Amino acid sequence: MLRIPGPTPCPEEVLQAMTRQMINHRGVEFEALLRSATARLKEFFQTKGDVLILTASGTGGMEAAIVNTLSPGDKVLAVINGVFGERFADIAEAYGAEVERLAFPWGQPGDPDAIRRALDSDRSIKAVLVTHNETSTGVTSDLAAISAVVKQYDKLLLVDAISSLGCIDLQTDAWQCDVVVTGSQKGWMIPPGLAFISVSPKAWDAHARARIPRFYWDFAQAKKFLERGQTPWTPAVSILYALAVALELMAGEGLANIFARHARIGQRTRDEIKALGLPLFAAEKYASNTITAVKAPDGLDAKRLLTILREEHDVILAGGQRGLAGKIFRIGHLGWVTESDIDAVIERLRTALPKAGFATA
Ligand SMILES: *Cc1c(COP(=O)(O)O)cnc(C)c1O
């Protein structure tokens, strides 16, 4: 049982789709595949704007968001409440942006009021970087509220929604998100290899003026080729086969039902973890419906717990990253996941916990 926040398990029909022979990526069959996947993705992004499919992991999508909208020396406000918020800031800095880091305690969300104060005190900020769902801590920030502030100041809003899009409601157009990035191996029930990214009209304006060098990631190239049903560079064709099948499954379930399933499963995971006597790491009001971070109480050896689960119970969970190593463990519940999957993890946790030094409630 693989229950990490990506790669996530894939349904059998998705795996089967990838055994198909290659096709010409400049041919009509590929064109149909790309057009229909793009149209479906727009529904999941809840946007009428552009959605581009890049051959990349999520981080490539984050880099694309930066290089297509910013110039060296641009001031950027990075909202940071975990590892992935730091990564977004680091990428912007690597390309020469002047990054102001607005940090929040890990386990807490980004605070719209603090963002308002930061934007108010420095009118030269051009863009705001936000992590919708901070996978390292299991926290979902209130993106609608953050966006309302960012748009009051008319700034560009770049969103890492890598572990939330397609699982948790994110209204790209209604919330005026300029660039939104997600990755195939998270909520989309397919393997790693593709990033999906939306580009608003305001982001296109920024693109026209942005001076960070770009080539592979250039949105204009992606859009130009998409208009003729192609990608500029050879895409991960097999993952696109998988995507077509997964999007069909997701369309069958429906957006609202997918969100409701993740909400139900997230709540169930938290309830069952608490019933075992374990504390949650995230502020509960902002606890993520795609990933649950569990604090290791005194006596519990979190690393040993993960080893016991893997070796004796065939359950793979994620540990803590950076400063959280050994202090938390994380259960992924995004994409192809049901209540009974979570119940099975909890049952095995109940058995493994005493061996790792924790007497369950
Ligand atoms: C997984 C993840 C990333 C990184 O994606 P890769 O596909 O590993 O490059 C970035 N941000 C968030 C929130 C993630 O969950």
Side-chain angles (χ1 to χ4, degrees):
M1 274 185 231
L2 182 63
R3 291 263 65 102
I4 62 174
T8 60
C10 303
E12 190 56 35
E13 53 265 64
V14 165
L15 297 176
Q16 283 304 320
M18 289 187 300
T19 66
R20 263 186 72 194
Q21 185 55 274
M22 287 299 102
I23 54 174
N24 176 11
H25 68 300
R26 307 272 177 232
V28 290
E29 213 182 334
F30 182 83
E31 176 179 350
L33 177 62
L34 185 66
R35 288 197 194 288
S36 106
T38 304
R40 281 239 158 104
L41 282 171
K42 285 189 192 190
E43 291 169 22
F44 289 104
F45 274 78
Q46 304 182 60
T47 185
K48 300 211 177 329
D50 290 303
V51 171
L52 305 171
I53 300 176
L54 311 176
T55 294
S57 83
T59 306
M62 294 163 81
E63 185 157 324
I66 299 290
V67 304
N68 277 283
T69 58
L70 299 176
S71 298
D74 276 351
K75 272 217 171 160
V76 168
L77 181 70
V79 178
I80 301 175
N81 61 335
V83 168
F84 294 106
E86 284 184 349
R87 182 176 301 178
F88 218 175
D90 290 346
I91 296 169
E93 206 160 63
Y95 279 104
E98 199 181 312
V99 178
E100 182 181 329
R101 289 174 158 77
L102 182 60
F104 297 94
W106 290 24
Q108 297 292 327
D111 172 20
D113 288 329
I115 296 169
R116 181 193 313 280
R117 286 192 294 276
L119 291 175
D120 207 59
S121 69
D122 186 349
R123 299 298 177 118
S124 68
I125 289 167
K126 180 174 169 190
V128 180
L129 314 182
V130 177
T131 316
H132 182 211
N133 188 74
E134 183 43 83
T135 316
S136 65
T137 60
V139 168
T140 308
S141 286
D142 184 347
L143 185 58
I146 290 173
S147 161
V149 170
V150 171
K151 290 301 158 179
Q152 189 189 332
Y153 289 85
D154 197 27
K155 308 301 180 189
L156 204 59
L157 177 58
L158 311 183
V159 181
D160 170 354
I162 292 175
S163 62
S164 53
L165 204 78
C167 308
I168 297 172
D169 191 23
L170 193 170
Q171 300 175 26
T172 300
D173 286 357
W175 300 350
Q176 299 179 72
C177 300
D178 295 303
V179 178
V180 178
V181 186
T182 182
S184 57
Q185 80 278 21
K186 304 285 171 110
W188 302 92
M189 309 190 290
I190 62 176
L194 296 176
F196 315 131
I197 189 158
S198 66
V199 187
S200 76
K202 187 178 170 77
W204 280 116
D205 283 349
H207 174 276
R209 281 172 279 113
R211 289 293 162 261
I212 291 175
R214 57 191 183 224
F215 189 88
Y216 184 83
W217 301 129
D218 193 345
F219 288 166
Q221 290 293 326
K223 180 162 177 161
K224 185 174 101 189
F225 277 79
L226 179 58
E227 277 159 10
R228 50 176 109 127
Q230 296 179 17
T231 55
W233 335 113
T234 312
V237 174
S238 305
I239 314 293
L240 275 152
Y241 294 158
L243 177 63
V245 172
L247 288 173
E248 185 76 33
L249 292 172
M250 290 173 76
E253 184 175 2
L255 203 54
N257 291 331
I258 292 173
F259 297 157
R261 174 168 55 85
H262 282 88
R264 226 167 39 232
I265 288 174
Q267 189 59 51
R268 189 182 188 97
T269 307
R270 295 189 288 278
D271 290 347
E272 295 194 5
I273 285 294
K274 286 191 287 184
L276 288 173
L278 290 169
L280 301 172
F281 181 73
E284 206 164 340
K285 187 168 172 229
Y286 297 94
S288 166
N289 285 329
T290 61
I291 167 108
T292 295
V294 183
K295 216 189 285 184
D298 283 347
L300 174 61
D301 182 339
K303 285 182 180 160
R304 187 160 147 65
L305 176 67
L306 296 191
T307 305
I308 294 168
L309 283 169
R310 173 170 51 82
E311 288 180 350
E312 299 175 22
H313 299 281
D314 188 31
V315 173
I316 313 292
L317 302 184
Q321 294 163 280
R322 307 250 188 100
L324 291 175
K327 299 198 174 121
I328 63 167
F329 65 91
R330 296 173 300 147
I331 305 169
H333 35 82
L334 67 170
W336 194 41
V337 59
T338 63
E339 272 94 344
S340 63
D341 293 329
I342 289 307
D343 293 351
V345 168
I346 297 292
E347 259 335 290
R348 293 168 196 210
L349 251 180
R350 193 191 308 282
T351 313
L353 277 165
K355 275 191 169 177
F358 182 76
T360 54

